[in-house]
Amino acid sequence: MTRRRSILLVDDEISVLQTLRMILEREGYKVTTAQSCAEALTRLTSGKFDAIIADLNMEADDIGFDVARAAVKLKPKPAVVMGVRQSRQCADCPGARC
C-alpha cells in the first residue's frame, strides 16, 4: 500500500488555505493547515511532512522564514515552497501593487 504524501499548508488567509487544501486533497495529498507561524511550528513537531507550502508575508509578526528554518532541522527534510503575494499599494508605483 502506498503512503499518501503529507503537506503542511501555512497561510493567514483562510480562503487561500481552503482553496489550496481542496486542490491538493483532490490530487490525493494529505493536507494539514496552519494560519500562523506559531501554529505551523507546533504542527511540525507533531507530524512528518513531505512538503511545506508557506506564505512569507503573513500578518502581524509572522514570518514564513521561521517555518523554513524549523523545517531544515527535521529529518527527513521536507521540501519547502515559499510564496509571496504582493498586496499593498506602493507609493512609488501608482496603479501597481508592490
Side-chain angles (χ1 to χ4, degrees):
M1 184 168 116
T2 305
R3 182 178 73 84
R4 282 178 41 185
R5 299 278 182 188
S6 181
I7 295 178
L8 175 62
L9 258 176
V10 186
D11 201 303
D12 59 342
E13 292 186 49
I14 192 72
S15 62
V16 172
L17 287 177
Q18 290 172 338
T19 302
L20 288 174
R21 179 182 209 142
M22 180 183 68
I23 292 167
L24 292 166
E25 285 179 343
R26 190 180 310 151
E27 293 297 319
Y29 293 96
K30 178 182 174 193
V31 179
T32 301
T33 61
Q35 285 187 267
S36 69
C37 284
E39 186 180 356
L41 295 173
T42 298
R43 299 235 191 282
L44 283 175
T45 61
S46 64
K48 291 188 178 183
F49 298 96
D50 298 298
I52 300 166
I53 301 173
D55 181 8
L56 281 176
N57 289 345
M58 290 191 279
E59 294 293 326
D61 294 329
D62 281 334
I63 300 172
F65 280 120
D66 293 342
V67 175
R69 282 187 201 99
V72 169
K73 298 174 185 174
L74 298 174
K75 293 195 186 333
K77 292 182 183 359
V80 178
V81 178
M82 307 301 285
V84 177
R85 183 176 56 133
Q86 299 169 346
S87 61
R88 62 180 171 80
Q89 188 69 32
C90 178
D92 297 331
C93 311
R97 292 204 171 287
C98 295

